[in-house]
Amino acid sequence: MSSQHFTTNSETETVELGKQLGTSLKPGSVVLLFGDLGAGKTTFVRGLATGLGIEPSEVSSPTFVLIQEYRGRVTLHHVDLYRIEGAAVDDLGVEELANERAVVVIEWAERLPRPIPDAIHVKLEDKGENVREIAIEGS
Ligand code: ADP
Ligand code: MG
C-alpha cells in the first residue's frame, strides 16, 4: 500500500493537505483518521470538505453528534467516534454510509471494531508547537 509522509507547520497547511486529498476523492471513499486529541483531525476534515466543494465553516466537532452530513459535489458523512462506547460502534453502520454519492471520514478510527476494506488511512501526530506529522496511506 502506498504511504506518503508530510510535515505541516500550521493549521492552514493541514487544511491545505486535507483539501488536496478531498479533491482526489471519489464517491464511495472512506477516510480513517487516527491520532490523539488536538492532533488536527477535525482541522484536516475542514480541508477535506473544502476539496469536496463544502463550506469549511460547516465542519465542527459538536459534543453529542456522532455523524454529521454536509452537501458538496458529493455528500460528506463526518463521523467522530471519540465519545462512543465500544459495542455501539457496530450499530452506527458506518460502512454503509459510503456509496455512489457519498464519502465518509471517521475521526478516532482506532475505535472501529474491524477494518474497513480499501479505506484510506491518515495518521496525525502532534510534534509540539504547530508541527504535525501526517502519514497518508492507500490514497
Ligand atoms: P482533533 O480533531 O485531532 O482533536 P483539532 O483539529 O480539533 O484536533 O485541533 C487541532 C488544534 O491544533 C487546533 O487548535 C489547531 O489550531 C492546532 N494546530 C496547531 N498546529 C497545527 C497544525 N500544523 N495542523 C493542525 N492543527 C494545528
Ligand atoms: Mg476532532
Side-chain angles (χ1 to χ4, degrees):
M1 189 180 271
S2 65
S3 172
Q4 290 176 287
H5 294 261
F6 304 89
T7 302
T8 65
N9 297 292
S10 66
E11 186 174 329
T12 309
E13 285 182 23
T14 297
V15 170
E16 187 53 38
L17 189 60
K19 183 180 170 185
Q20 282 175 30
L21 180 61
T23 305
S24 77
L25 291 178
K26 301 196 170 54
S29 300
V30 178
V31 180
L32 305 182
L33 303 185
F34 302 84
D36 291 337
L37 204 61
K41 300 180 296 298
T42 301
T43 301
F44 190 89
V45 174
R46 241 183 282 128
L48 199 86
T50 308
L52 292 168
I54 294 156
E55 174 60 45
S57 62
E58 281 193 56
V59 177
S60 61
S61 41
T63 316
F64 299 109
V65 184
L66 289 171
I67 305 179
Q68 298 178 90
E69 184 182 310
Y70 320 115
R71 300 285 169 86
R73 71 174 161 79
V74 297
T75 296
L76 175 62
H77 297 287
H78 177 197
V79 181
D80 190 330
L81 300 178
Y82 183 51
R83 291 163 201 90
I84 199 164
E85 303 289 328
V89 179
D90 264 339
D91 301 330
L92 277 180
V94 290
E95 292 97 332
E96 283 83 65
L97 291 172
N99 59 40
E100 63 282 350
R101 296 174 65 186
V103 166
V104 182
V105 62
I106 303 178
E107 293 191 46
W108 293 99
E110 291 91 339
R111 305 200 172 177
L112 287 170
R114 70 190 80 83
I116 297 181
D118 303 322
I120 297 165
H121 290 218
V122 180
K123 294 171 186 169
L124 303 97
E125 215 178 314
D126 185 340
K127 291 298 185 181
E129 304 277 321
N130 295 331
V131 180
R132 302 291 186 272
E133 276 185 13
I134 302 176
I136 302 178
E137 296 168 13
S139 65

